Amino acid sequence: MRRTVFNEDHEAFRETIRAFIEAEVVPVYDEWFAAGQAPRDFYYKLGELGVFGISVPEEFGGAGMDTHKFEAVLYEETARAGVQFGGSGVHVLLALPYIKMLATDEQKKRFLPKFVTGEEMWAIAMTEPGTGSDLAGMKTTAKLSEDGTHYVLNGAKTFITGGVHADKVIVCARTAAPTAEDRRHGISLFAVDTKSEGYSVGRKLDKLGLKTSDTAELAFVDVKVPVEDLLGEENKGFHYLGHNLASERWGIAFGAYAQAKAAVRFAKQYVQERTVFGKPVAHFQNTKFELAACQAEVDAAEAVADRATEALDAGELTPAEAASAKLFCTEVAHRVIDRCLQLHGGYGYMNEYPIARLYADNRVNRIYGGTSEIMKSIIAKDMGL
């Protein structure tokens, strides 16, 4: 079946990204993997390449393209090469939508030019120890000073992707207590400078997968945040967070599909080269049947991912549709990658093979952005159940 989601511009971008990955990432990726993060100067290279500015308005140094299809190409090409771009994904997929949606013109003039170049990397801090997906239960507070010039931020966050290298972090904090009628009331969003006094980065977390993506714990002790750095209106943060969940879940869905597609590529190449009992592994009927079944699942996931991409670009991707795409694509990727690793035999368990890293990287897709169980709840509610 012929894909129609990408045009000539997207394919030209794909060629550029593929060449960039081969030249700038693949030769040093093992070093990144061992270090547990990509080097900070790599993000300047992504900025020079224009990756961060694709959907940023031209007046702030971007290309002004209102589409997620270039991000989709990035997912496919990084998965194809068996690499990750460190923690930069959250910079564009998660942080940028909030800046575009909530920042004032004055804030955009301050934030976006450095965002585009990679001079200032952004992360977003929602999750707290002990709260997980229950964002309404967050305890971090931001209290307005008596003179009204700044907020005083206190609390802690965990599982913050990009948290080690971040220069700015969108921090979710309570500016008012929840009400009996609405636990979600009272949350606000702030653009916090990581150089602020009282702001500290704790442990760089040792994760099962996504080894080159720096993930950290953050702590705030009487951090002063100027009132000019409040994003949007006070106490409406939970509403803002819900508004961008569809695009976040699309990104996880598309990334999972891309990983499944890459897994089939890795397995096909391996079984054609690996010989057992005097024959290539690809010669055996079981190998053919396994890869054929995996390819069929990837084809279905591709259709779902492409449809969700078109809907997102049209502004028509509903929360339930995003949840459905995430649930389906992540579950497909789980099954496909596991079967492709099995075809590698013992070598599939070795980190020197991309399928092993892919197996570990993929596991979190069914957890972050809302677990598979939460996705099922959203879908069931949309069905009237």
Side-chain angles (χ1 to χ4, degrees):
M1 294 177 285
R2 185 174 65 88
R3 295 180 82 184
T4 58
V5 68
F6 298 123
N7 62 27
E8 293 180 358
D9 290 338
H10 304 127
E11 295 305 331
F13 180 68
R14 184 188 303 280
E15 292 181 10
T16 299
I17 290 297
R18 187 172 297 183
F20 174 80
I21 289 173
E22 288 299 319
E24 301 288 346
V25 182
V26 172
V28 294
Y29 196 69
D30 286 345
E31 297 174 17
W32 297 5
F33 191 85
Q37 63 186 33
R40 178 62 179 84
D41 61 3
F42 173 67
Y43 299 135
Y44 292 112
K45 295 180 180 179
L46 290 179
E48 292 173 4
L49 196 62
V51 168
F52 296 149
I54 292 170
S55 62
V56 172
E58 293 183 36
E59 62 188 293
F60 304 114
M65 297 184 183
D66 189 18
T67 177
H68 290 79
K69 292 181 180 179
F70 292 98
E71 292 171 45
V73 171
L74 283 170
Y75 283 124
E76 290 188 334
E77 290 305 307
T78 51
R80 179 184 182 277
V83 302
Q84 297 278 338
F85 278 178
S88 65
V90 71
H91 182 69
V92 174
L93 183 64
L94 298 188
L96 182 57
Y98 290 102
I99 299 172
K100 291 173 65 176
M101 177 176 70
L102 301 176
T104 63
D105 287 341
E106 184 275 330
Q107 288 174 325
K108 289 177 181 177
K109 290 176 182 177
R110 281 195 289 129
F111 298 153
L112 288 177
K114 293 181 180 180
F115 179 101
V116 170
T117 62
E119 184 178 347
E120 287 187 349
M121 294 299 296
W122 287 65
I124 184 165
M126 293 184 277
T127 306
E128 296 183 0
T131 62
S133 297
D134 182 20
L135 296 180
M138 70 175 61
K139 300 292 192 297
T140 298
T141 60
K143 297 183 179 180
L144 189 63
S145 62
E146 291 185 3
D147 61 7
T149 61
H150 62 273
Y151 292 86
V152 180
L153 183 67
N154 283 283
K157 301 289 182 178
T158 192
F159 304 148
I160 309 307
T161 303
V164 175
H165 283 318
D167 302 288
K168 297 279 190 182
V169 177
I170 298 174
V171 177
C172 311
R174 284 207 163 276
T175 44
T179 65
E181 297 78 20
D182 187 3
R183 292 178 62 240
R184 301 171 296 181
H185 173 75
I187 295 173
S188 301
L189 307 185
F190 300 90
V192 180
D193 191 322
T194 63
K195 295 185 294 294
S196 301
E197 184 177 354
Y199 180 104
S200 62
V201 178
R203 292 185 302 151
K204 181 167 73 69
L205 301 174
D206 184 15
K207 307 184 299 298
L208 170 67
L210 300 177
K211 289 292 189 179
T212 64
S213 172
D214 55 300
T215 303
E217 295 174 331
L218 306 179
F220 321 110
V221 179
D222 293 334
V223 176
K224 293 182 179 180
V225 183
V227 293
E228 293 82 9
D229 288 342
L230 171 71
L231 287 173
E233 294 183 42
E234 205 178 69
N235 300 328
K236 291 189 176 181
F238 199 94
H239 168 73
Y240 299 143
L241 294 174
H243 187 273
N244 284 325
L245 277 175
S247 62
E248 178 183 353
R249 288 169 179 164
W250 163 83
I252 298 170
F254 203 99
Y257 140 70
Q259 290 176 326
K261 182 177 181 179
V264 173
R265 176 176 179 267
F266 296 144
K268 179 182 176 182
Q269 181 179 1
Y270 178 82
V271 299
Q272 289 175 329
E273 296 173 353
R274 172 71 168 163
T275 300
V276 295
F277 305 117
K279 299 177 181 179
V281 176
H283 177 81
F284 297 95
Q285 186 181 62
N286 179 69
T287 303
K288 297 176 182 179
F289 281 7
E290 283 293 283
L291 280 177
C294 287
Q295 184 61 54
E297 290 219 74
V298 169
D299 287 344
E302 180 179 87
V304 170
D306 286 355
R307 185 180 69 175
T309 303
E310 296 285 17
L312 183 63
D313 271 10
E316 299 172 354
L317 186 65
T318 68
E321 290 169 344
S324 179
K326 180 183 185 295
L327 177 66
F328 183 77
C329 291
T330 57
E331 294 292 340
V332 164
H334 161 65
R335 293 191 297 270
V336 167
I337 295 170
D338 184 76
R339 293 167 85 170
C340 288
L341 186 150
Q342 187 73 15
L343 288 172
H344 282 70
Y347 288 105
Y349 205 65
M350 301 296 112
N351 273 327
E352 65 185 277
Y353 283 81
I355 192 68
R357 299 179 183 184
L358 196 58
Y359 184 87
D361 290 349
N362 169 74
R363 185 58 185 88
V364 76
N365 288 333
R366 292 182 289 149
I367 298 174
Y368 65 5
T371 64
S372 291
E373 291 71 28
I374 288 178
M375 297 303 100
K376 291 174 184 177
S377 297
I378 294 170
I379 297 164
K381 184 177 180 181
D382 187 67
M383 295 170 66
L385 299 174

